[in-house]
Amino acid sequence: MSTEIDLTGKVAIVTGAGSGLGAGIAKCLAKAGASVALADINFDDARKMSNEIVSEGGKAFAVEADVTNEASVFAMVDEVVKKLGKLDIMCPNAGTCKAGPIESCSAEDWDNMLKINLTGHFYCVKAALKYMKPQKSGKIVMTASQAGRVAVPLLAGYSASKFGVTALTKAVAQEVAKDNIQVNCIGPGIIRTKIWDKILGDLVAAGLGEADALYKSFIDAIPSGREQTPEDIGNAVTFLASDMASEINGDILLINGGQFNCP
Ligand SMILES: NC(=O)c1ccc[n+]([C@@H]2O[C@H](COP(=O)([O-])OP(=O)(O)OC[C@H]3O[C@@H](n4cnc5c(N)ncnc54)[C@H](O)[C@@H]3O)[C@@H](O)[C@H]2O)c1
């Protein structure tokens, strides 16, 4: 006997799905049978990823959306519901990072992180609830970070935005639990995506070392001894988006190989 997650018939949206973790989440949800809308500000990347999923037999399509724009987020959700009739799973995931000493973080860098990482998630939650509340079901799985559980030096603005996502998760989960909607977030560890290339570039620019050596030092600190993969992250989201997780609400699931001894 085996236990498999089956999301056949479910409709999902993943933001920031044109690359990195978003693409990994979209692939895992599609593999479990869901129809997945891959949303990104970079439509070409989202289309490339959705084509990959379709060529592997999954159900997917691309949507252009800017998560910093409330009207764009509502239009994205309306488009998906118009096309597929409902929304079961919302995965706000798009994000960015400016790393380095706090003095090197400009007001613009700060605003950008808060707008994409936190306000973008807030808009996605509101737009999803427009449909999930009346249908009395839904799963919202946001992408926080282990830096949303433990404050990380040189990532002050990023940590602040991710602590915000954790708080948003916990507060909204309590508001909508009676509507049969579960709201959780994930805390990925370290995956070498475009965001990490940017972080390493910022750290090198701050004179803190050389990119590959810095990256190796971060990986060496992971108890499991390896970096995480987009699939590790996608599998965790698939679990939280399934009915196996129906009594898990308002939590952060760390996928970080045991790093930080997070409380
Ligand atoms: N990579 C890691 O180690 C790691 C660890 C913890 C958390 N995370 C989080 O995972 C999420 C995805 O990051 P990633 O590592 O895949 O980075 P990534 O840079 O590869 O992907 C980010 C995606 O978001 C999209 N995006 C950026 N701004 C957008 C906007 N305004 N509207 C819509 N889409 C937008 C980009 O086009 C890109 O496709 C982020 O929230 C990040 O903070 C990543």
Side-chain angles (χ1 to χ4, degrees):
M1 198 169 87
S2 69
T3 306
E4 272 186 22
I5 293 174
D6 183 4
L7 298 180
T8 305
K10 302 290 184 188
V11 176
I13 297 177
V14 183
T15 71
S19 97
L21 306 195
I25 293 167
K27 282 181 181 171
C28 287
L29 292 173
K31 203 170 155 194
S35 297
V36 186
L38 289 88
D40 208 289
I41 198 167
N42 186 330
F43 182 69
D44 287 344
D45 283 356
R47 192 167 44 193
K48 198 172 141 231
M49 288 301 164
S50 71
N51 285 345
E52 271 184 32
I53 292 174
V54 170
S55 72
E56 286 160 15
K59 298 185 198 75
F61 64 100
V63 192
E64 185 169 349
D66 175 0
V67 300
T68 67
N69 179 318
E70 185 170 19
S72 173
V73 172
F74 272 76
M76 161 187 86
V77 174
D78 288 345
E79 183 185 334
V80 171
V81 174
K82 199 170 167 201
K83 201 169 173 137
L84 297 172
K86 59 176 182 160
L87 176 65
D88 301 298
I89 300 161
M90 166 59 92
C91 302
N93 164 81
T96 191
C97 183
K98 163 71 186 170
I102 187 73
E103 302 92 320
S104 70
C105 181
S106 68
E108 195 187 333
D109 293 330
W110 177 272
D111 285 347
N112 199 37
M113 271 186 285
L114 270 288
K115 267 165 74 180
I116 299 175
N117 298 1
L118 181 55
T119 309
H121 279 50
F122 156 65
Y123 293 152
C124 287
V125 168
K126 273 176 70 179
L129 291 179
K130 176 181 162 187
Y131 294 101
M132 290 178 173
K133 269 194 164 181
Q135 82 194 13
K136 293 265 175 220
S137 67
K139 308 274 187 189
I140 299 177
V141 186
M142 302 192 230
T143 300
S145 168
Q146 59 186 1
R149 181 79 172 264
V150 171
V152 181
L154 305 174
L155 292 178
Y158 182 78
S159 281
S161 73
K162 295 298 184 177
F163 267 71
V165 172
T166 309
L168 179 68
T169 299
K170 289 181 182 296
V172 179
Q174 294 171 73
E175 286 184 29
V176 299
K178 284 254 165 14
D179 297 301
N180 187 30
I181 299 167
Q182 290 83 49
V183 187
N184 291 290
C185 64
I186 51 160
I190 300 179
I191 306 96
R192 186 97 186 234
T193 61
K194 286 191 286 186
I195 225 175
W196 258 101
D197 291 339
K198 190 169 176 312
I199 291 170
L200 292 170
D202 291 340
L203 298 179
V204 171
L208 294 166
E210 183 269 325
D212 286 341
L214 280 168
Y215 191 70
K216 184 175 181 310
S217 71
F218 295 127
I219 303 305
D220 286 347
I222 301 176
S224 67
R226 71 162 175 91
E227 61 190 332
Q228 285 73 57
T229 65
E231 197 181 9
D232 291 327
I233 310 310
N235 285 337
V237 171
T238 302
F239 165 67
L240 287 174
S242 77
D243 286 338
M244 282 190 187
S246 57
E247 270 298 291
I248 300 175
N249 209 0
D251 214 344
I252 175 168
L253 178 57
L254 298 171
I255 312 117
N256 66 355
Q259 198 177 10
F260 283 172
N261 292 320
C262 287

